[in-house]
């Protein structure tokens, strides 16, 4: 089909009545199709969309906003970072928002700015958004709660704003961490060490809490926690420290990058993964299946979280007098690969003297303290 130019024979922009005429339906039906309302047959929907494409018809969202009192836009407050977790979640939110026919307004905050969230929310409210998504993974001391009069969806953290309607999504990191820890204990490991993320991050706290809960419930020893900064370099440094422990057989790392750096350090210290030490990561980044050995990890359901959360937010925006849709918990997806195995009968003899580890290779220098993490 030839796509229209957006002008009809008289030189004016096509209207919904023109689409209705070509599709052989009423103007109300055209409106129902573009509002994605139910009770429209697949055949009628196809005819309307084909006619709209033929004419180059676009909805007049400005007119709809004036008529409905809504701008059909959703604002997103997110940490300005390239970290895998926040970036993947933002991509999922962007896709879902556009699929719903809403415009997207994104305001990034900066780590270390306690007033960043309040300023971002104010900016979005000034733009007249109909709802706000807060994907702010860091606990900033001194941050100011802001009262708003639009529905709010908070992903993976406590709400930093006050609203008559606050929805939550992306909970359950503690449950996923529990599953990772239980996997290692079920393989026969006496205990599991934890390479944690920075504790100002809500996700890092949740993963640590899940790990601790499982060991406590099973009456296992709680080893001291080693904290990284999400980067592979911090995992490497932690691995050099952990490799000195004679009882180390299993580690749950709070993200995949740190797990990959950890495995590098263990290998250089003469320890085999998984024959001597089993390692589980978190996120399932694209490279996790291709490292050596392929990494066992917990896959985060970024797209599912975004889809369900936005569906519930749009429902509240468009049906303010109805009860919110119930939330559901996505299943935990533990991806078992070759980095985990049964607990060793005895610790493998280390060819290097006990308590030593080689210096970092020249081509992979560890960053200076305070370096930016690679991703969550």
């Amino acid at each position: 089909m030839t796509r229209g130019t957006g002008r009809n024979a008289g030189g004016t922009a096509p209207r919904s009545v023109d689409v209705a005429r070509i599709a052989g339906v009423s103007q109300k039906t055209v409106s129902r199709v573009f509002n994605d309302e139910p009770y429209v047959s697949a055949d009628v929907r196809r005819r309307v969309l084909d006619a709209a494409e033929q004419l180059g018809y676009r909805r007049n969202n400005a007119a709809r906003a004036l008529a409905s009192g809504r701008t059909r836009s959703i604002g997103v407050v997110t940490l300005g970072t390239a970290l895998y977790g926040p970036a993947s979640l933002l991509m999922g939110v962007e896709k879902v928002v556009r699929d719903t026919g809403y415009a997207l307004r994104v305001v990034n905050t900066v780590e270390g700015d306690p007033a960043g969230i309040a300023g971002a929310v104010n900016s979005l409210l000034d733009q007249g958004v109909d709802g706000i998504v807060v994907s702010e993974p860091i606990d900033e001391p001194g941050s100011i709660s802001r009262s708003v009069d639009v529905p709010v969806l908070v992903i993976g953290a406590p709400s930093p704003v006050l609203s008559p309607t606050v929805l939550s999504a992306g909970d359950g990191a503690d449950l996923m961490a529990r599953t990772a820890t239980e996997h290692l204990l079920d393989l026969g490991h006496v205990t599991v060490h934890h390479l944690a993320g920075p504790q100002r991050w809500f996700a890092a706290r949740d993963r640590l809490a899940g790990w601790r809960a499982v060991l406590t419930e099973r009456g296992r020893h709680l080893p001291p926690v080693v904290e990284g900064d999400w980067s592979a370099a911090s995992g490497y440094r932690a691995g050099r420290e952990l490799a000195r422990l004679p009882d180390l057989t299993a580690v749950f790392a709070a993200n995949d990058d740190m797990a990959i750096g950890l495995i590098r350090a263990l290998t250089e210290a003469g320890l085999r993964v998984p024959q001597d030490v089993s390692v589980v990561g978190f996120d399932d980044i694209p490279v996790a299946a291709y490292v050596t050995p392929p990494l066992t990890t917990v896959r985060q359901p970024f797209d599912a979280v975004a889809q369900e959360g936005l569906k519930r937010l749009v429902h509240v925006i468009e049906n303010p007098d109805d009860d919110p849709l119930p939330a559901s918990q996505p299943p935990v997806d533990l991806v078992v690969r070759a980095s985990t195995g049964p607990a060793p009968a005895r610790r493998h003899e280390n060819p290097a003297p006990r308590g030593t580890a080689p210096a970092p290779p020249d081509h992979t220098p560890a960053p200076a303290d305070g370096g930016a993490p690679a991703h969550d």
Side-chain angles (χ1 to χ4, degrees):
M1 174 182 293
T2 303
R3 184 175 180 83
T5 62
R7 296 285 168 181
N8 60 25
T12 60
R15 301 168 299 166
S16 61
V17 66
D18 302 317
V19 176
R21 185 183 65 255
I22 291 179
V25 299
S26 68
Q27 190 174 0
K28 177 62 176 176
T29 298
V30 172
S31 176
R32 285 175 178 164
V33 169
F34 278 94
N35 287 331
D36 200 24
E37 295 181 12
Y39 312 118
V40 179
S41 70
D43 177 65
V44 168
R45 190 178 301 274
R46 178 187 56 78
R47 282 159 44 201
V48 169
L49 294 177
D50 286 350
E53 183 177 3
Q54 179 182 339
L55 292 171
Y57 169 77
R58 294 177 62 88
R59 289 182 295 178
N60 188 336
N61 286 329
R64 294 178 70 222
L66 288 173
S68 65
R70 299 200 305 266
T71 63
R72 290 193 66 82
S73 63
I74 292 176
V76 179
V77 179
T78 186
L79 183 69
T81 177
L83 299 178
Y84 180 79
S88 297
L89 192 54
L90 178 59
M91 288 175 61
V93 168
E94 286 179 326
K95 181 179 184 302
V96 175
V97 168
R98 292 193 173 106
D99 286 347
T100 63
Y102 279 70
L104 186 70
R105 310 277 186 261
V106 179
V107 178
N108 291 312
T109 61
V110 179
E111 185 173 352
D113 179 6
I117 296 178
V121 169
N122 287 336
S123 173
L124 292 171
L125 293 175
D126 288 344
Q127 297 177 58
V129 296
D130 300 319
I132 294 176
V133 178
V134 179
S135 179
E136 187 69 17
I138 297 179
D139 184 10
E140 295 287 8
S143 60
I144 303 171
S145 293
R146 169 71 157 84
S147 295
V148 302
D149 57 1
V150 299
V152 174
L153 170 67
V154 183
I155 301 180
S159 177
V161 297
L162 304 175
S163 167
T165 305
V166 176
L167 309 173
S168 63
D171 301 326
D174 57 337
L175 179 59
M176 290 186 274
R178 289 179 63 99
T179 300
T181 307
E182 288 168 349
H183 169 67
L184 292 166
L185 293 180
D186 291 345
L187 288 170
H189 296 275
V190 174
T191 192
V192 177
H193 289 252
H194 184 43
L195 171 50
Q199 291 302 291
R200 65 184 180 278
W201 287 67
F202 294 110
R205 296 181 197 173
D206 289 343
R207 295 167 203 183
L208 186 148
W211 162 82
R212 177 181 287 131
V214 170
L215 294 185
T216 302
E217 290 167 6
R218 295 202 181 186
R220 304 300 177 89
H221 168 64
L222 277 167
V225 174
V226 180
E227 184 174 325
D229 63 10
W230 299 128
S231 70
S234 71
Y236 181 87
R237 290 192 295 267
R240 296 181 68 207
E241 178 182 340
L242 291 169
R244 300 186 178 102
L245 303 177
D247 63 339
L248 182 77
T249 68
V251 182
F252 164 47
N255 81 332
D256 289 343
D257 265 3
M258 292 194 298
I260 291 169
L262 166 73
I263 290 174
R264 171 70 177 270
L266 295 178
T267 301
E268 290 182 358
L271 298 172
R272 300 167 300 168
V273 176
Q275 293 89 341
D276 300 314
V277 182
S278 288
V279 177
V280 177
F282 200 103
D283 282 339
D284 195 25
I285 62 176
V287 76
Y290 303 100
V291 295
T292 303
L295 182 65
T296 295
T297 184
V298 181
R299 178 176 294 152
Q300 287 225 64
F302 297 115
D303 289 344
V305 168
Q307 186 166 3
E308 178 181 295
L310 266 298
K311 176 182 178 182
R312 296 173 62 220
L313 179 62
V314 170
H315 176 81
V316 169
I317 292 171
E318 298 187 347
N319 305 277
D321 297 328
D322 293 354
D323 292 333
L325 297 175
S328 63
Q329 187 70 44
V332 176
D333 189 4
L334 177 68
V335 183
V336 179
R337 299 193 180 104
S339 69
T340 53
R346 63 183 180 86
R347 181 64 179 269
H348 175 64
E349 291 299 326
N350 199 342
R354 208 59 184 157
T356 65
D362 291 340
H363 57 281
T364 56
D369 289 343
H375 61 61
D376 175 20

